[in-house]
Amino acid sequence: MGAPDFAKLPHIGEALQRKEDYRFLTGAGNYTDDIHLAHESQAVFVRSPHAHATIARIDTTKASAMPGVVRIFTGKDVEGKMGGLPCGWLITSTDGQPMKEPPHPILAQGKVRYVGDHVAMVVAATLEQAKNAAEAVEVDYDVLPAVMKMADAAKGPALHEAAPDNHCYKWAIGDKGQVDAAFANAAHVTRLDLTNNRLVPNAMEPRAAIGSYNRASDEYTLYVANQNPHVERLLMTAFVLGLPEHKVRVIAPDVGGGFGSKIFLYAEDVCLTWAAKQLNCSIKWTADRSEAFLSDAHGRDHVSHAEMAMDKDGKFLAMRVHTDANLGAYLSTFSTAVPTILYATLLAGQYTCPQIYVEVDAWFTNTAPVDAYRGAGRPEATYLLERLVSRCGWDMGLGQDEIRKRNFINQWPYQTPVALQYDVGDYLQCMTKAQTLADVAGFDARRQASEAKGLKRGIGYSSYIEACGIAPSNIAGALGARAGLFECGEVRVHPTGSVTVFTGSHSHGQGHETTFAQVVAARLGIPVENVDVVHGDTGRVPFGMGTYGSRSISVGGAAIMKALDKIETKAKKIAAHLMEASDADIEFANGEFTVKGTDKKIPFGQVALTAYVPHNYPLDKLEPGLNETAFYDPTNFTFPAGTYICEVEVDPATGVVRVDRFSAVDDFGTIINPMIVEGQVHGGIVQGIGQALMENCVYDENTGQLLTGSFMDYAMPRADDFPLFKLDTVCTPCTHNPLGTKGCGEAGAIGSPPAVINAVLDALAPLGVKDFDMPASPARVWEAIQSAKA
């Protein structure tokens, strides 16, 4: 079934209430910390108070004698017994050498490299006893100078012997010679320096894990707040613990948000799993919020210089970019792919820029590891490009809309100069709809009204594109991926016609139990209530790659569709037998099998029952049952795109920025459930505005202490910081998956930051302010105004 036909089926495009919400709203959700196992102990980690130090001595004598303490583990207990945490993506430097990949031990071995690094794990009968004992562990440190800025990394003290200059890799894409030639002949060049500020993920549920071990079967079970349990198991067994994979079961129950931070294999997960066998008991650890600030993988943290060459009419000729990317103290699971494959390949954006050259230097610093955070490289690319494009318009005397319209791609498929090929889109329609939705025609009147109140009003545009469903596996492998990027779906039809779906995708707030049920119900013509979706348990679901990168419906949903194709093929043969017809003459629609040219028909439920009660059944030709599994490996990325328009009011006396209007038009292809899509876009826009105006992770430049280590210092957006968002969509279905879907989970966080900052700069242009970095907090805006006056 092709995407156009699928989009017309019942249940597709219906704003059905989420099936999972009842249990969440009534307190029946089952999160990792809600699970209590027999003989369960509690773990607390002793963490480094220093950004960079050697460990002279660890004395656990006093702590070990305290009430309830079961055992205290340090780096010496694990040294030589297991591998370190692996990085899942190998980047090759421009000189042909592999990236520097220093060891990442699960407990520090002789040296700590950031505040929050794992020094010891205390296991005790109760949480209070574990905390008390952790405070009694005596650690002597010899403090070393810390590298806190990428600009200081090359000449700073080495974090790792494997990287004496703290440089992980230099990577590049594009034809530098052709780009330089285009710049030499350009009528105008616009230049821009910018920083994409470091963020802390702050999912509602902090990370948590329970390790358990069954001595009778020699099997381990890890309950963990994680976005991809099969990948967690693969990395832990194959690279760290060296265990047979079938002896380890990973269960990710209900998960309260992730935003990428729960994709990765963390040291705590391995420590608990390994120690469960050593102590023959279950061990639970749940991060408190302060611990999460220190130890969760952070996001963003790029410093870039970008240049755009244009002809006299503002047409783009070439772009060149240099980015310094902060990887933190260690390589996290997918950290190396974020500022390279997931970033530079998106710098063409929606525009016909013939030549692009991007160079990326990645650095180790004495900060928490940096990895994927909602959008993972795509927000960084969009922020740079859309800030640059608006600056190009202002430099050329063109409106933010006009500079974009002059350079929009308008023919598909379109091959970009940075590897990707876009299959379909309609960027001008997105822009036109967004301008209507935002009432751009009335902006001048609103600006005059703001001026009358002593306020400055500005408008900002952002026309983003993202690449979702990283694919295909063979090309990703050639680019350094150390895992496949397919997805799996199993459809199990029961004798009564109800269905259970087992998916390798994982839901941690996206609503998969509803949208996947809608897909199956639409295909089989059965009620949505008759479809259950199972995920998050390696002991129950087939091997899959999990949820990240807005891939679930386009990759996981496509795998389910392929399994449904097999279900339909077999069911038609059963129906043909029951109606004494050729299976080539059987048609299936709206839950009924019919014979072409006749009035013969039987319902899906009767076929399902026949499959499991095979009386009068050709057992010599068909085996019983109606249960099929399929894997789907995409042939290309999907490419959601859209235009966002933001209006802000700025008080020049205080620097306070207020988002007054925000309009977003997205092209997500086929939409399964518009209510869920709207919720995803709302959440993404909030996160993006949060980064643009408030959120900022800051370390002390001298001591390496995290200065924004709680919500007292790390500003999070609240409901009253936002207007009502105006949303609309355009639909150009994806051409290469059976659903026509593109993905929607990250778009809001990708498109909104540059729209906000462009609006702020537009508002402050009359005051002489040309630029500043996120976040546009009152202090930063006020200082920019004062500097412009001076």
Side-chain angles (χ1 to χ4, degrees):
M1 175 175 287
D5 294 329
F6 173 78
K8 298 174 185 178
L9 292 177
H11 304 307
I12 302 306
E14 289 186 24
L16 299 182
Q17 290 189 352
R18 301 198 328 167
K19 297 175 68 175
E20 49 268 72
D21 281 349
Y22 180 82
R23 74 171 186 273
F24 293 142
L25 294 173
T26 57
N30 190 37
Y31 299 89
T32 300
D33 195 56
D34 294 326
I35 297 169
H36 300 284
L37 304 180
H39 310 296
E40 184 177 273
S41 298
Q42 303 291 322
V44 168
F45 285 86
V46 178
R47 297 183 181 276
S48 170
H50 303 291
H52 199 193
T54 56
I55 300 173
R57 181 181 69 98
I58 302 177
D59 188 347
T60 63
T61 306
K62 179 181 176 182
S64 297
M66 294 179 70
V69 174
V70 179
R71 180 83 179 269
I72 299 175
F73 296 96
T74 68
K76 289 185 178 180
D77 293 303
V78 299
E79 189 173 6
K81 297 178 181 178
M82 63 185 70
L85 300 181
C87 179
W89 204 293
L90 173 67
I91 295 298
T92 301
S93 289
T94 53
D95 62 3
Q97 296 299 308
M99 67 188 188
K100 309 289 176 43
E101 197 169 359
H104 187 176
I106 65 170
L107 291 172
Q109 295 173 9
K111 193 176 186 182
V112 291
R113 295 177 173 86
Y114 67 100
V115 174
D117 206 351
H118 311 76
V119 176
M121 181 177 72
V122 178
V123 181
T126 69
L127 182 58
E128 182 179 4
Q129 290 170 335
K131 287 182 176 180
N132 291 339
E135 291 179 0
V137 174
E138 298 175 5
V139 187
D140 292 338
Y141 298 95
D142 292 327
V143 179
L144 301 170
V147 176
M148 302 311 300
K149 290 178 167 181
M150 289 184 283
D152 301 331
K155 296 181 179 179
L159 274 72
H160 305 277
E161 291 181 6
D165 57 357
N166 296 314
H167 190 237
C168 183
Y169 59 77
K170 179 185 284 291
W171 179 90
I173 189 172
D175 190 321
K176 186 176 186 300
Q178 291 194 30
V179 168
D180 289 346
F183 270 83
N185 296 314
H188 179 81
V189 175
T190 289
R191 297 176 175 87
L192 187 64
D193 292 295
L194 46 79
T195 297
N196 203 300
N197 44 321
R198 178 182 282 237
L199 302 176
V200 180
N202 281 316
M204 187 177 294
E205 177 207 24
R207 287 192 296 119
I210 308 170
S212 68
Y213 175 72
N214 186 321
R215 180 168 290 177
S217 61
D218 191 29
E219 291 178 340
Y220 301 77
T221 301
L222 174 67
Y223 296 85
V224 62
N226 182 268
Q227 297 176 217
N228 45 356
H230 274 289
V231 176
E232 169 105 352
R233 182 178 71 166
L234 175 62
L235 295 174
M236 184 166 58
T237 56
F239 293 94
V240 188
L241 296 179
L243 296 172
E245 199 170 355
H246 71 285
K247 289 294 185 180
V248 179
R249 181 180 181 183
V250 175
I251 300 173
D254 289 327
V255 174
F259 312 121
S261 68
K262 293 175 182 172
I263 297 172
F264 323 122
L265 177 64
Y266 285 96
E268 295 90 350
D269 307 346
V270 180
C271 285
L272 295 170
T273 305
W274 175 78
K277 180 176 181 178
Q278 308 305 307
L279 303 179
N280 195 32
C281 70
S282 300
I283 310 171
K284 176 186 283 187
W285 168 78
T286 302
D288 60 32
R289 186 59 65 182
S290 296
E291 195 174 16
F293 269 94
L294 290 173
S295 63
D296 288 1
H298 293 171
R300 315 291 190 246
D301 207 347
H302 285 190
V303 176
S304 299
H305 175 76
E307 300 177 343
M308 184 73 81
M310 292 173 281
D311 68 12
K312 62 182 178 61
D313 298 316
K315 284 285 289 181
F316 300 156
L317 302 175
M319 180 171 64
R320 56 189 175 201
V321 176
H322 180 270
T323 292
D324 287 303
N326 194 343
L327 299 175
Y330 299 99
L331 297 182
S332 182
T333 307
F334 293 113
S335 58
T336 52
V338 173
T340 52
I341 307 301
L342 300 179
Y343 163 70
T345 57
L346 268 296
L347 283 170
Q350 299 186 9
Y351 310 111
T352 55
C353 187
Q355 296 293 335
I356 299 174
Y357 179 73
V358 186
E359 198 170 79
V360 178
D361 283 291
W363 303 94
F364 294 110
T365 64
N366 292 113
T367 61
V370 178
D371 209 317
Y373 172 72
R374 197 170 190 171
R378 284 72 59 88
E380 294 91 322
T382 298
Y383 182 70
L384 181 147
L385 180 61
E386 291 305 294
R387 285 286 313 282
L388 181 62
V389 169
S390 285
R391 176 59 61 194
C392 288
W394 291 327
D395 285 357
M396 297 294 289
L398 299 173
Q400 294 180 70
D401 56 343
E402 181 59 29
I403 189 70
R404 288 172 168 80
K405 290 175 182 177
R406 289 190 184 190
N407 290 282
F408 274 158
I409 298 163
N410 55 27
Q411 291 184 328
W412 287 269
Y414 178 81
Q415 178 64 52
T416 75
V418 279
L420 299 183
Q421 185 179 83
Y422 305 158
D423 62 328
V424 70
D426 193 337
Y427 307 148
L428 183 59
Q429 187 183 4
C430 287
M431 168 76 79
T432 303
K433 265 195 171 185
Q435 290 184 300
T436 302
L437 198 64
D439 184 25
V440 170
F443 172 72
D444 287 340
R446 293 191 294 275
R447 173 173 267 176
Q448 292 174 16
S450 296
E451 289 283 351
K453 296 185 291 183
L455 304 175
K456 297 296 181 182
R457 179 178 286 266
I459 189 168
Y461 283 72
S462 172
S463 295
Y464 79 91
I465 190 168
E466 65 166 320
C468 301
I470 305 172
S473 291
N474 57 348
I475 292 179
L479 294 174
R482 288 167 164 167
L485 295 165
F486 56 84
E487 196 48 84
C488 182
E490 178 186 349
V491 177
R492 186 178 299 173
V493 179
H494 302 294
T496 57
S498 61
V499 174
T500 300
V501 176
F502 299 86
T503 175
S505 300
H506 184 275
S507 179
H508 43 278
Q510 294 89 346
H512 294 168
E513 294 172 37
T514 303
T515 49
F516 286 172
Q518 285 180 253
V519 168
V520 174
R523 262 307 283 279
L524 299 182
I526 61 177
V528 174
E529 296 77 21
N530 287 7
V531 182
D532 282 338
V533 177
V534 177
H535 60 89
D537 184 347
T538 64
R540 298 186 66 191
V541 303
F543 191 100
M545 300 306 296
T547 292
Y548 48 85
S550 303
R551 74 191 297 270
S552 294
I553 193 65
S554 298
V555 186
I560 293 169
M561 282 286 281
K562 289 189 70 176
L564 288 167
D565 289 341
K566 296 180 180 180
I567 291 286
E568 182 176 325
T569 298
K570 182 173 182 180
K572 281 182 175 179
K573 293 179 179 179
I574 299 172
H577 174 74
L578 293 175
M579 292 188 285
E580 299 180 337
S582 166
D583 54 339
D585 293 329
I586 301 297
E587 295 179 337
F588 179 61
N590 301 317
E592 290 185 332
F593 295 90
T594 57
V595 180
K596 292 179 187 177
T598 74
D599 59 358
K600 289 183 177 181
K601 62 181 180 180
I602 55 174
F604 177 77
Q606 183 177 345
V607 170
L609 182 61
T610 302
Y612 289 95
V613 186
H615 304 162
N616 186 27
Y617 190 88
L619 289 169
D620 57 327
K621 298 178 181 179
L622 283 174
E623 61 185 29
L626 201 52
N627 181 14
E628 298 288 352
T629 299
F631 288 81
Y632 175 73
D633 199 325
T635 57
N636 193 5
F637 291 87
T638 63
F639 297 100
T643 289
Y644 290 2
I645 300 176
C646 175
E647 281 188 40
V648 301
E649 277 189 330
V650 182
D651 186 342
T654 63
V656 171
V657 177
R658 183 178 69 88
V659 178
D660 184 57
R661 300 163 73 93
F662 199 101
S663 304
V665 174
D666 298 284
D667 179 1
F668 297 135
T670 304
I671 290 177
I672 308 299
N673 187 313
M675 181 191 71
I676 288 176
V677 168
E678 185 174 308
Q680 288 288 311
V681 175
H682 276 206
I685 291 173
V686 165
Q687 280 185 274
I689 294 176
Q691 177 180 10
L693 297 183
M694 303 171 194
E695 297 183 51
N696 196 25
C697 178
V698 180
Y699 284 91
D700 184 277
E701 293 183 7
N702 297 312
T703 65
Q705 296 298 317
L706 181 61
L707 301 180
T708 51
S710 76
F711 291 136
M712 294 290 287
D713 302 295
Y714 187 94
M716 290 283 280
R718 304 184 181 189
D720 60 357
D721 292 315
F722 308 102
L724 291 175
F725 302 138
K726 294 184 177 180
L727 309 182
D728 204 347
T729 58
V730 167
C731 181
T732 61
C734 173
T735 60
H736 55 78
N737 74 53
L739 300 164
T741 53
K742 297 182 179 182
C744 68
E746 297 161 306
I750 293 170
S752 53
V756 174
I757 297 299
N758 285 337
V760 174
L761 291 172
D762 183 58
L764 298 182
L767 301 178
V769 176
K770 288 190 174 181
D771 202 16
F772 53 78
D773 288 321
M774 295 188 290
S777 62
R780 283 174 177 247
V781 173
W782 186 85
E783 287 173 0
I785 293 171
Q786 304 315 306
S787 296
K789 286 181 180 179

